[in-house]
Amino acid sequence: LESMKKHKWKKYKIMRKSKTLRSHLPKTRRLTASHFRGMLKKYGAIIVKPRYGSGGVGVMRIRKTSSGRYEVRYKTRKKRMNRIRDVYAYVLRKRKGRTMIVQRYIHLAKTGGRPFDLRVMVQRRSVKSGKWKITGRLAKIAGKGYIITNVRRSHGKVTGASSAIRNSNIRNRSVRTILREVDHLCLVGAKKLSRRYRWIHTVGMDVGIDRKGKVWIIEANFKPSLALFRKLS
């Protein structure tokens, strides 16, 4: 059961089957040399992370710089290399035996110069007849120098979702329009996942918004921490 709860790859494949969600899910693949090279070439920046687990553990960002070199961000460290095969070898060393996935990197919107994403709680009272509802939203803002928004790991902070979007570098969409879309996509995602995982009654959706205001479902958590909501005033 535990592995089912934390299996990011399976959840991604289930949500991909929804026409509504498909264009809002960052392309994700199992980590292989060909997927690594192909996605880096196509998108210019990728995330490599463990297939299981949470809390931003083991997350790396790899991007091709304007000078043609490769930059690896791991925690707050940056490492630059000339050859893609050296980058891939470095990633394999850092994975420490874990099964990894590679995902298109979403250039998250920033507030106060720091990237943020949203945690959206979707819940139902009863597994049998309960209607899914949005029960809470907040923004997780990355700590200084971090690319991950995990509050504990990056020493970041939480704030209200509306105020984070309002004070961000997103310019061409209103807060209301974005949040309406966020809620809709999260409800669709929870319903889709509950057809496969019938026992779930809570889903914590990690939702990214890029600089143009496009909404992305990054991840779905079946045992999300409620402690983040206690940090809100």
Side-chain angles (χ1 to χ4, degrees), residues 16-29:
R16 278 271 311 169
K17 288 173 184 167
S18 160
K19 282 182 185 167
T20 306
L21 298 177
R22 200 169 298 150
S23 62
H24 295 275
L25 292 162
K27 187 84 169 179
T28 305
R29 289 275 184 264

Side-chain angles (χ1 to χ4, degrees), residues 12 17 21 36 44 66 85 113 145 186 199 217:
Y12 168 78
K17 288 173 184 167
L21 298 177
F36 182 85
S66 52
R85 68 169 181 238
C186 288
W199 44 268
I217 303 272

